[in-house]
Amino acid sequence: AAVPQLSLDRLRESGTPPTRLWALTQLFAQTLLTMSAGEHEDLLFTKRDNVGPEMSRGMAERKSGSEFALFTGAAAILATDDPAVIEEYTAFGLCLGTASQICSDVGDIWGEGMSRDLLNARRTLPIVHALSTLRGEDRGRIQDLLAAAREAAGYQDEVRTLLTAAGSLHYTALVVEVYRGRARDC
């Protein structure tokens, strides 16, 4: 939490105009609040079964997208006074950061070794998609497997199989491509 203030003070010492320092101060404050809200949601979602894909994407935007938006927006603020350019760079960072977070979530589930997200009952986008898509016995089965995967890693392969069968990997890849396309457009 101290790094932004120290960074801003160094920028002040190096002659950064006060208007840019004020814009950076506001950006840091707003972004740190947004990122904290995203982290808080991530923790709350582990206790809920009624999280939908929109909520999961929004959480990823707040948690990680806003972090990248901070980086790109701060650089733009230091480079220009043009609000449109600053807005475009900030939007680029938001989209790129969100896509990166969702890719990280996919990598955690389908990557090598044990999934920490499955062990910690994280409601990442692939899991949320499956829970919102599957019905009846299949939904009950994945809920049981998700609970079992918290206790023993041996159930994780079955979870992956059901997530794939539910189309969650494909859906998640499409969502990532949408964010990447938006980032390219910016």
Side-chain angles (χ1 to χ4, degrees):
V3 172
Q5 288 82 8
L6 294 172
S7 299
L8 291 169
D9 190 48
R10 301 247 351 237
L11 288 169
R12 181 192 56 76
E13 289 172 355
S14 68
T16 301
T19 55
R20 288 188 180 171
L21 289 173
W22 179 244
L24 287 170
T25 300
Q26 289 180 312
L27 179 64
F28 276 110
Q30 291 169 351
T31 302
L32 291 174
L33 284 173
T34 300
M35 289 170 59
S36 296
E39 287 291 340
H40 182 71
E41 287 172 330
D42 192 18
L43 294 172
L44 287 179
F45 287 177
T46 63
K47 297 176 174 102
R48 297 176 56 188
D49 280 334
N50 63 342
V51 176
E54 284 293 323
M55 293 170 70
S56 182
R57 286 195 308 265
M59 182 268 299
E61 285 181 6
R62 286 181 285 284
K63 179 180 166 183
S64 298
S66 63
E67 178 184 16
F68 280 55
L70 171 64
F71 301 152
T72 56
I77 288 170
L78 290 171
T80 184
D81 290 322
D82 186 341
V85 171
I86 295 168
E87 186 177 317
E88 286 297 311
Y89 273 90
T90 303
F92 166 77
L94 178 76
C95 293
L96 184 64
T98 304
S100 295
Q101 178 62 54
I102 295 169
C103 285
S104 174
D105 294 340
V106 168
D108 178 81
I109 293 172
W110 278 278
E112 295 291 320
M114 214 169 17
S115 166
R116 291 180 47 177
D117 285 346
L118 292 177
L119 284 175
N120 293 313
R122 294 280 190 240
R123 292 296 191 238
T124 60
L125 188 57
I127 294 167
V128 168
H129 174 266
L131 289 171
S132 67
T133 302
L134 295 173
R135 301 284 180 253
E137 288 180 28
D138 288 336
R139 189 172 199 286
R141 177 77 178 135
I142 198 160
Q143 286 175 316
D144 292 344
L145 285 171
L146 287 169
R150 291 195 70 189
E151 304 299 322
Y155 292 100
Q156 292 190 1
D157 285 337
E158 289 182 69
V159 170
R160 290 179 189 101
T161 300
L162 271 178
L163 289 173
T164 302
S168 299
L169 182 59
H170 181 72
Y171 171 81
T172 304
L174 290 174
V175 170
V176 167
E177 282 306 308
V178 168
Y179 279 108
R180 286 181 52 193
R182 289 178 186 165
R184 275 191 306 271
D185 291 346
C186 292

